[in-house]
Amino acid sequence: MINAQEILFKSVQKALKELYSIDSTNIVFQKTRKEFEGDFTLVTFPFIKEAKKSPEQVGQELGDYLVKNEKTVIAFNVVKGFLNIVLSDAFWLSYFNSVKDSSFIGFKKPESSGRTVMLEYASPNTNKPLHLGHVRNLLVGFSVAEILKANGHKVIKASIVNDRGIHICKSMLAWKKWGNNETPVSTGMKGDHLVGKYYVKYDQEYKKEIDYAQKTALQAWIKIWAKKPAKEGEISNQMIMLFAVMIFKLIQSFDQGKPKQLTEVEIDKLASGNVQDLEEEREEEFMDDAAHMFYNGLKKELEGKKLFYKIGTDGKKEFDEIFEFIKAKLPLVMEVQDMLRKWEAGDKETVNLWKMMNGWVYEGFDVTYKTVGVDFDQTYYESNTYILGKEIVQDGLAKGIFYKKENGSVAIDLRPEGLDEKVVLRSDGTSVYITQDIGTAIERFKQFPDLKQLIYTVGNEQDFHFKVLFKILEKLGYDWAKECYHLSYGMVELPEGKMKSREGTVVDADDLLGEMFTTAEETTKELGKVEGFNEDELKDLYHTIGSGALKYFILKVDPKKKMLFDPKESIDFNGNTGPFIQYTHARIKSVLRKSESSFEASLNSISFNALEREIIKHIYDFESVVEESGNTYSPALIANYVYELTKTFNKFYHDHSILKEENEDVKVFRLQMAKACSQTIANAMGLLGIKVPEKM
RNA sequence: GGCCUCGUAGUUCAAUGGAUAGAACGAAAGUUUCCUAAACUUUAAAUACAGGUUCGAUUCCUGUCGAGGCUACCA
């Protein structure tokens, strides 16, 4: 394509050499600001030292040289150290003629760069429906993938589904205990929402256990404390454990609907520090399987920890510390951990339950993905990949990249790199999260031998995780490691702060989308713009406008930055919004439909008015904006760009008539320009995953 | 405590070290015999603070104050 900056670069380089004997490759042009005449601006300050002249003088002399020697430059002006260069209408027209009929203005040819990248996004957990945070992930991920495609790369869109682990078991357990065999069909609920309901249920029930445990335990503790346990003014681990086990028993009685309290006798025994009796009693009296597991679990936790407390204070701090242990070992926790063990052991009933409930979730997710308009070329499941990475760690251990700690765990020391020490294998030989990330990354490069880069669309709370991951891969000797990129996006915050699923402050994705469609419908009806549409077309239109508003709202913000979303203030449809841009597109299309004459033939010469010139230059900029947004992984650049273009066109549309223009050449040009504009708008919006309507 | 982000109009967002810091919403005022008024025009309104580097700093450096995140043998 015709490149103005390249032409100017060469001429200025020559001019500097001839006029001042300066050899410079550091010549950068910026767009001339609207308030000055000109197309491109050269800042002359960098050259004044070597030229030994004032900025104004350098500007004047360079300008003279360009006008004389470069035919595309027809005029210039100098303001302080700024040389504003004016290119000829002929230049802009020839550029315009080269793109006016293209349907991929600004785009490189598909897969022309020869580069293959995998972009991972979405990455949901299968225990709850998607929320606003996921929506930003989906939109940013999808859009960046499209932008990279527009830059000529081959992009594999991938999702890794977090379908296993303790949090998945929570919803399974809760459904099993309290679900009454509910299904999406029996309840009419979307599958992911049904499963999410039981994830919340688990948490509520667990909270009840905690509350009761705390109340009961504190009462007993106060009594024990008041009796000042003997033993040199100290309370032993053993005693704490017995205490904890008794609390555990109480919670069981609570869960069975028959809450009990510790008896005075029991408290006396605990307080006296004479725990012999209780220990003997524990077998028959209160050590069933669950309690036994609890006892052993707690024993392991406390091993090696010094938990002797001096008497003297009110004992509250001590209680809190002990209670932290108890909290992590309550009956529901034990049960859910047991379920995970069964899942890992392949227990049939558990696996079947897991398959069934995950199936519900996938059906739900598919609906949401379809509504949002995102898709994947590859789907990975953690249940298949969580084992990966262990051998790699063993290899790395042999090579001395990792080391074994005294407790048997394997770790890497990244402190010299300014990071931290990181465990990559537990002392029992099981993997941690990063282990499988190491494994899956390597696996993907094996699966796709052409792969050059992995991009992870994950929130910025994981910045540290990815720094560590990439550094480890680099140390393991994979040269693609430095090509890996964490597409880190900021959190979406509500006016009252961060979203917390446990506190019910999340904005549900399906609800949000539904509201957007409704608002689009209401607004369209209010404006009386429903004529000429049938039912299906209208539904389509509301979907286009509603999701366009939401997508644009989210994508216009730099992904790296956190953003605020206020659900109470619904998203605007006026001003710097998706619908504004969609509206402009529809308006152009309406004009084009109404044009009776054809306007295909290229013009040989024309003189532009200021707005026409501005619009052509805007279209010209699109290609470099697409490049820049690809280089910086930023859909926001595209959003801001298309808004500016649209605004400029609207101004033109307001000030000048297209169809009623009397000069035939001008009319033809304006139609061509309008068409190119609508194409550019459609292309830009397409990169954001936003459709543009023919009419609205 | 350590590490990493971020502080721009009332609010939500812009500004490869460059000219007089741009928009939108909200506020105030205006535009419709004219291709779609989801539009257009006008007004008021901001770089947290203090230093430094530079011809030039919202941008780079240092410090203070303020907000958020990370800091697990969790995922």
Side-chain angles (χ1 to χ4, degrees):
Chain A
M1 108 158 210
I2 299 165
N3 191 312
Q5 285 96 325
E6 240 168 64
I7 295 170
L8 291 176
F9 181 91
K10 281 184 187 144
S11 293
V12 169
Q13 198 175 32
K14 235 173 113 193
L16 285 171
K17 178 116 192 171
E18 285 178 25
L19 296 174
Y20 315 114
S21 313
I22 297 175
D23 273 310
S24 179
T25 50
N26 187 24
I27 303 161
V28 191
F29 299 95
Q30 44 191 285
K31 285 190 284 175
T32 303
R33 296 183 62 134
K34 269 189 223 152
E35 54 268 39
F36 302 99
E37 197 207 348
D39 298 321
F40 295 96
T41 295
L42 181 72
V43 183
T44 58
F45 286 110
F47 311 115
I48 56 172
K49 234 181 208 166
E50 282 187 77
K52 298 192 183 71
K53 295 193 171 160
S54 71
E56 289 87 347
Q57 226 172 335
V58 172
Q60 188 67 35
E61 289 173 1
L62 283 174
D64 281 333
Y65 180 95
L66 288 175
V67 169
K68 203 179 293 172
N69 297 291
E70 179 51 64
K71 70 177 191 326
T72 55
V73 178
I74 53 154
F76 74 93
N77 62 80
V78 178
V79 182
K80 289 189 267 181
F82 299 88
L83 168 63
N84 300 319
I85 301 162
V86 184
L87 302 189
S88 66
D89 283 355
F91 169 82
W92 288 118
L93 182 63
S94 74
Y95 158 73
F96 177 72
N97 283 335
S98 74
V99 299
K100 74 181 173 57
D101 296 316
S102 167
S103 59
F104 49 96
I105 295 174
F107 294 179
K108 303 262 194 314
K109 276 215 190 74
E111 304 189 13
S112 58
S113 74
R115 184 177 169 86
T116 303
V117 305
M118 178 180 283
L119 185 143
E120 177 187 300
Y121 73 119
S123 314
N125 290 344
T126 58
N127 59 355
K128 51 180 180 289
L130 304 175
H131 58 69
L132 182 54
H134 296 112
V135 173
R136 190 177 198 189
N137 183 306
L138 291 177
L139 298 181
V140 168
F142 180 86
S143 177
V144 169
E146 292 303 309
I147 289 166
L148 293 176
K149 281 191 207 167
N151 277 287
H153 307 318
K154 183 178 177 188
V155 181
I156 303 165
K157 290 185 232 175
S159 169
I160 182 151
V161 184
N162 195 316
D163 63 343
R164 63 163 289 279
I166 199 81
H167 51 295
I168 309 297
C169 289
K170 285 179 184 175
S171 41
M172 286 161 61
L173 181 70
W175 184 85
K176 203 171 158 186
K177 285 173 91 83
W178 302 291
N180 300 318
N181 285 310
E182 277 186 8
T183 69
V185 175
S186 78
T187 56
M189 265 176 105
K190 205 160 156 279
D192 50 339
H193 288 261
L194 181 66
V195 171
K197 176 179 148 187
Y198 286 100
Y199 183 70
V200 172
K201 177 77 175 167
Y202 173 92
D203 219 65
Q204 288 168 343
E205 293 297 326
Y206 178 46
K207 257 202 185 106
K208 277 192 212 160
E209 280 193 347
I210 292 175
D211 286 350
Y212 185 77
Q214 188 149 26
K215 215 171 69 198
T216 336
L218 193 55
Q219 268 172 17
W221 184 257
I222 288 166
K223 285 182 190 164
I224 294 166
W225 198 262
K227 298 191 178 176
K228 302 254 171 188
K231 276 250 168 175
E232 309 290 313
E234 288 175 339
I235 298 171
S236 69
N237 276 11
Q238 195 183 24
M239 214 204 83
I240 289 165
M241 282 168 58
L242 281 163
F243 170 71
V245 168
M246 296 175 83
I247 299 304
F248 182 83
K249 282 308 288 182
L250 294 181
I251 301 305
Q252 279 189 321
S253 71
F254 168 73
D255 281 348
Q256 285 152 10
K258 293 172 275 187
K260 287 185 200 154
Q261 297 288 326
L262 283 183
T263 64
E264 286 299 322
V265 180
E266 285 167 331
I267 290 171
D268 272 341
K269 282 182 181 171
L270 281 168
S272 70
N274 182 8
V275 293
Q276 263 346 68
D277 297 353
L278 280 171
E279 278 214 85
E280 277 159 29
E281 282 166 26
R282 74 163 193 242
E283 288 303 327
E284 59 240 51
E285 209 180 301
F286 57 73
M287 287 305 264
D288 58 16
D289 282 356
H292 204 77
M293 257 166 62
F294 170 76
Y295 182 88
N296 287 332
L298 192 62
K299 194 171 168 188
K300 215 179 145 200
E301 291 272 347
L302 292 176
E303 250 167 34
K305 287 203 170 76
K306 275 200 180 140
L307 267 179
F308 290 85
Y309 299 105
K310 294 238 184 309
I311 301 299
T313 58
D314 63 355
K316 181 73 173 80
K317 199 176 133 247
E318 290 76 3
F319 174 79
D320 286 345
E321 209 166 314
I322 294 164
F323 192 72
E324 278 307 304
F325 288 114
I326 296 176
K327 212 164 81 178
K329 297 283 170 196
L330 291 179
L332 269 178
V333 179
M334 304 305 285
E335 266 186 274
V336 81
Q337 282 174 350
D338 190 44
M339 192 170 227
L340 181 62
R341 262 189 296 275
K342 279 183 179 158
W343 181 88
E344 287 185 355
D347 173 70
K348 215 165 179 185
E349 195 197 327
T350 311
V351 170
N352 283 342
L353 176 63
W354 171 76
K355 278 186 185 159
M356 179 178 75
M357 290 182 74
N358 270 353
W360 297 344
V361 173
Y362 297 144
E363 278 173 32
F365 283 175
D366 284 345
V367 171
T368 308
Y369 290 153
K370 197 155 176 252
T371 311
V372 179
V374 298
D375 53 19
F376 305 96
D377 304 308
Q378 287 281 321
T379 304
Y380 299 99
Y381 299 91
E382 265 192 23
S383 50
N384 295 327
T385 63
Y386 79 105
I387 307 161
L388 294 172
K390 275 199 203 179
E391 300 94 56
I392 310 275
V393 169
Q394 293 303 340
D395 289 354
L397 189 59
K399 285 183 200 151
I401 295 160
F402 304 117
Y403 57 88
K404 222 171 192 124
K405 295 172 68 169
E406 305 114 36
N407 56 23
S409 62
V410 179
I412 186 166
D413 188 4
L414 295 173
R415 274 171 294 203
E417 269 81 13
L419 298 167
D420 212 342
E421 187 187 45
K422 177 78 194 170
V423 170
V424 292
L425 222 49
R426 294 194 190 99
S427 47
D428 62 3
T430 56
S431 19
V432 291
Y433 191 67
I434 202 162
T435 320
Q436 64 163 310
D437 267 0
I438 296 168
T440 51
I442 294 165
E443 200 66 21
R444 289 174 191 184
F445 277 91
K446 279 189 197 153
Q447 188 190 356
F448 298 98
D450 290 340
L451 202 58
K452 292 286 184 298
Q453 183 187 29
L454 267 177
I455 300 169
Y456 296 87
T457 314
V458 180
N460 64 9
E461 49 197 358
Q462 307 261 14
D463 283 356
F464 180 73
H465 171 81
F466 282 102
K467 273 187 198 159
V468 172
L469 174 65
F470 298 159
K471 186 53 82 178
I472 289 176
L473 289 168
E474 193 186 316
K475 292 213 159 205
L476 284 168
Y478 297 99
D479 47 8
W480 43 258
K482 53 186 181 304
E483 289 284 316
C484 287
Y485 183 73
H486 175 203
L487 176 46
S488 163
Y489 61 89
M491 296 291 106
V492 183
E493 285 174 13
L494 302 175
E496 57 271 21
K498 209 182 163 185
M499 286 190 290
K500 294 246 159 67
S501 43
R502 287 188 188 157
E503 287 160 31
T505 56
V506 287
V507 175
D508 179 76
D510 296 315
D511 291 350
L512 178 61
L513 287 159
E515 281 161 30
M516 293 308 302
F517 302 152
T518 311
T519 311
E521 180 173 352
E522 285 165 0
T523 309
T524 305
K525 283 179 176 161
E526 253 171 53
L527 294 170
K529 300 206 173 191
V530 292
E531 273 172 54
F533 288 91
N534 66 34
E535 274 303 299
D536 285 348
E537 287 169 343
L538 274 178
K539 218 182 139 196
D540 230 46
L541 181 69
Y542 303 149
H543 184 281
T544 301
I545 296 173
S547 59
L550 178 66
K551 288 179 181 186
Y552 186 85
F553 181 85
I554 289 175
L555 288 175
K556 76 173 177 185
V557 181
D558 182 347
K560 286 199 283 293
K561 295 186 180 172
K562 65 167 197 255
M563 66 175 292
L564 193 100
F565 183 89
D566 190 345
K568 287 193 294 294
E569 286 183 33
S570 60
I571 292 174
D572 253 297
F573 284 29
N574 299 324
N576 187 359
T577 67
F580 167 81
I581 295 161
Q582 291 171 321
Y583 170 74
T584 305
H585 178 268
R587 229 163 40 158
I588 294 174
K589 282 308 177 100
S590 169
V591 172
L592 297 180
R593 274 194 303 271
K594 282 183 180 156
S595 156
E596 282 152 12
S597 52
S598 79
F599 50 90
E600 272 79 52
S602 296
L603 297 162
N604 293 319
S605 75
I606 193 151
S607 105
F608 302 119
N609 72 31
L611 279 170
E612 288 163 346
R613 200 182 172 82
E614 210 180 308
I615 289 169
I616 301 290
K617 290 194 308 196
H618 249 295
I619 294 172
Y620 172 84
D621 285 337
F622 186 45
E623 180 170 338
S624 64
V625 172
V626 172
E627 270 173 34
E628 181 68 12
S629 69
N631 293 338
T632 55
Y633 308 93
S634 174
L637 297 181
I638 301 285
N640 292 329
Y641 165 84
V642 71
Y643 173 63
E644 287 296 328
L645 173 66
T646 306
K647 216 168 44 149
T648 310
F649 183 87
N650 270 329
K651 194 168 160 55
F652 168 81
Y653 181 94
H654 179 267
D655 292 355
H656 306 283
S657 181
I658 297 171
L659 295 176
K660 290 195 176 142
E661 170 57 40
E662 283 168 13
N663 180 318
E664 193 57 27
D665 275 2
V666 173
K667 180 176 164 182
V668 165
F669 168 71
R670 285 182 182 172
L671 282 163
Q672 291 174 344
M673 184 186 79
K675 186 184 157 206
C677 231
S678 69
Q679 187 64 53
T680 307
I681 290 172
N683 288 2
M685 292 294 261
L687 295 182
L688 304 178
I690 302 174
K691 287 193 207 142
V692 283
E694 293 294 309
K695 44 183 185 168
M696 69 184 268

